[in-house]
Amino acid sequence: MRGIRALIAIALLVGAPAAWAAPVIDCPMRDAPFSIQSPIVDILLNTDAKALVETQAGDLLKTLPPRFFSTTAPTFAAILTMEKLAAMKGTGATDLSALDAALRKIPVTPGDRIARCARYDNDRPALTLPAGRPRLLLFEKMTGFRDGPSVDAARAAFQAMAKRNGWALVVTDKGGAMRPSVLRRFDAVIWNNVSGDVLTLSQRKAFRAYLESGGGFIGVHGSAGDPATFWNWYVDNLIGARFAGHPMNPQFQDARIALSDAKSPLASGLPSEWVMNDEWYSFTANPRATGADIIATLDESTYSPVGMDGMQLRMGDHPIAWSRCVGKGRMFYSAIGHRPETYGAAPYVRMLENAIRWTGTKSACQTRPVR
């Protein structure tokens, strides 16, 4: 309790925003030592850590434009580590061992803890839920990369679907919505291109419990597209795949999507194949191996899966949309959706509508055979 009171007192002294009824003190990385696995934003917020990185690995910070290293969320610096940045540039992580050792010697101060927690929130949004079922919460909090056009297009598409189908949908960008008293009002939560670590420890616990007890989750595109992630359960158990990269030069390409599981309720009304133009994600492992039911795959022969600096992104079997049971709950993820135009493509709209109907079903999820 003494440590908590100290944090609150310091937050008030440094001018905590008036909207903070109480400072966030249970952010996941609050007490973590500085290291090459730290979010770069946390390093930049500490004068000594920043100076050390600029002295020993300053060239790495020039890998990306300066705007990527803002210390105000949302910022790309929240979804990058020095280790990940080195890998992107082709420098082995072992080259950073001296930097890592030096960073770990820098003490984590109460001010550091406050700065780290400042990008989280405990705000309880006032949500007016209209009539209709399923009841949907469209979640849009971002601390990492925010691509405004794709977020806005997805929101408009989901709102149009809700109006067309008589569903109840409300929108929030507050992590404080992830609490039992709010979540129990909804049949499914849609993560709209959410990027960055956005939930406190208590919010993570509430969200996971909601899903495992029968809630629904839909994630689109950027909700599983961060270079560095800091919640293992989310990427390894819920999504079941970690982002590897996407093509560059060109970033957006036509590719053929093939229906993988025509018997799935999520495939209802979809053509056996169709072509779209988008930013195509690859993953470090196949979600099929973690028990996901693959809804659709990419035909890698129809586009060039080559990323930054010639990085090979070929997966062979390349899932692009899948579902799974999470305890009694249901999840659906689609990696489609960077370009705003994708949210107007008839097959994709139908897939997302199917996903809402399926994840919003209240009966306990039944595991399908691994395919």
Side-chain angles (χ1 to χ4, degrees):
M1 286 299 293
R2 184 178 301 170
I4 292 174
R5 292 192 189 100
L7 284 173
I8 293 174
I10 291 171
L12 294 173
L13 287 172
V14 299
W20 281 11
V24 175
I25 57 175
D26 69 332
C27 62
M29 292 166 284
R30 187 193 71 177
D31 301 314
F34 290 103
S35 74
I36 60 172
Q37 289 88 32
S38 299
I40 288 179
V41 65
D42 290 346
I43 291 174
L44 298 178
L45 286 166
N46 178 283
T47 303
D48 293 337
K50 179 182 178 182
L52 183 64
V53 165
E54 288 177 340
T55 300
Q56 294 196 18
D59 287 347
L60 281 179
L61 297 181
K62 299 176 183 177
T63 302
L64 296 172
R67 63 186 175 86
F68 282 85
F69 299 106
S70 167
T71 55
T72 302
T75 171
F76 209 77
I79 54 174
L80 273 180
T81 65
M82 294 303 297
E83 182 178 58
K84 181 63 69 172
L85 197 56
M88 290 170 59
K89 194 175 180 180
T91 304
T94 53
D95 296 339
L96 298 178
S97 58
L99 174 62
D100 188 59
L103 282 170
R104 290 177 182 275
K105 293 178 181 178
I106 296 175
V108 177
T109 69
D112 291 323
R113 295 182 176 95
I114 290 169
R116 292 175 179 187
C117 290
R119 56 185 179 267
Y120 300 82
D121 74 82
N122 277 326
D123 300 346
R124 185 194 299 265
L127 302 176
T128 301
L129 189 59
R133 294 293 291 267
R135 297 166 299 186
L136 308 168
L137 179 64
L138 187 62
F139 182 57
E140 297 183 348
K141 183 174 178 68
M142 289 144 211
T143 59
F145 176 69
R146 189 184 193 280
D147 185 75
S150 59
V151 173
D152 294 345
R155 183 193 313 115
F158 284 120
Q159 289 172 330
M161 292 177 211
K163 182 177 181 180
R164 186 165 57 246
N165 291 283
W167 300 334
L169 181 143
V170 295
V171 184
T172 184
D173 63 356
K174 302 301 182 184
M178 300 298 159
R179 64 182 75 217
S181 62
V182 175
L183 290 170
R184 70 171 62 106
R185 301 175 63 191
F186 295 95
D187 299 306
V189 178
I190 305 168
W191 284 39
N192 179 9
N193 286 282
V194 171
S195 173
D197 196 61
V198 297
L199 301 185
T200 67
L201 294 175
S202 58
Q203 291 161 7
R204 287 181 178 184
K205 181 179 179 181
F207 179 63
R208 179 174 175 176
Y210 160 77
L211 289 178
E212 293 178 343
S213 62
F217 167 83
I218 296 168
V220 293
H221 192 64
S223 299
D226 289 347
T229 58
F230 306 95
W231 187 9
N232 290 338
W233 177 84
Y234 179 87
V235 288
D236 295 331
N237 297 86
L238 180 60
I239 300 298
R242 291 181 178 246
F243 174 76
H246 59 70
M248 296 296 293
N249 300 319
Q251 180 177 355
F252 307 110
Q253 302 181 39
D254 285 342
R256 186 178 74 92
I257 298 171
L259 202 60
S260 181
D261 184 1
K263 295 181 179 180
S264 169
L266 290 101
S268 175
L270 292 177
S272 60
E273 62 181 58
W274 68 95
V275 174
M276 294 183 73
N277 185 282
D278 202 13
E279 173 190 76
W280 301 114
Y281 281 1
S282 290
F283 300 90
T284 59
N286 194 317
R288 198 185 300 271
T290 60
D293 181 27
I294 307 304
I295 310 303
T297 60
L298 277 181
D299 182 347
E300 292 181 337
S301 70
T302 61
Y303 78 106
S304 177
V306 180
M308 183 181 295
D309 296 327
M311 180 182 182
Q312 285 299 317
L313 298 171
R314 197 172 298 277
M315 294 178 64
D317 175 28
H318 193 140
I320 200 67
W322 58 87
S323 64
R324 72 171 76 246
C325 296
V326 184
K328 296 179 181 178
R330 302 161 184 248
M331 74 75 69
F332 167 84
Y333 172 73
S334 167
I336 303 168
H338 185 99
R339 298 186 68 237
E341 293 83 355
T342 61
Y343 297 100
Y348 192 41
V349 171
R350 180 58 184 261
M351 181 187 288
L352 292 175
E353 288 186 334
N354 289 345
I356 290 172
R357 292 189 181 96
W358 183 76
T359 57
T361 300
K362 296 308 295 181
S363 59
C365 187
Q366 298 296 315
T367 302
R368 294 170 58 83
V370 177
R371 297 175 183 275

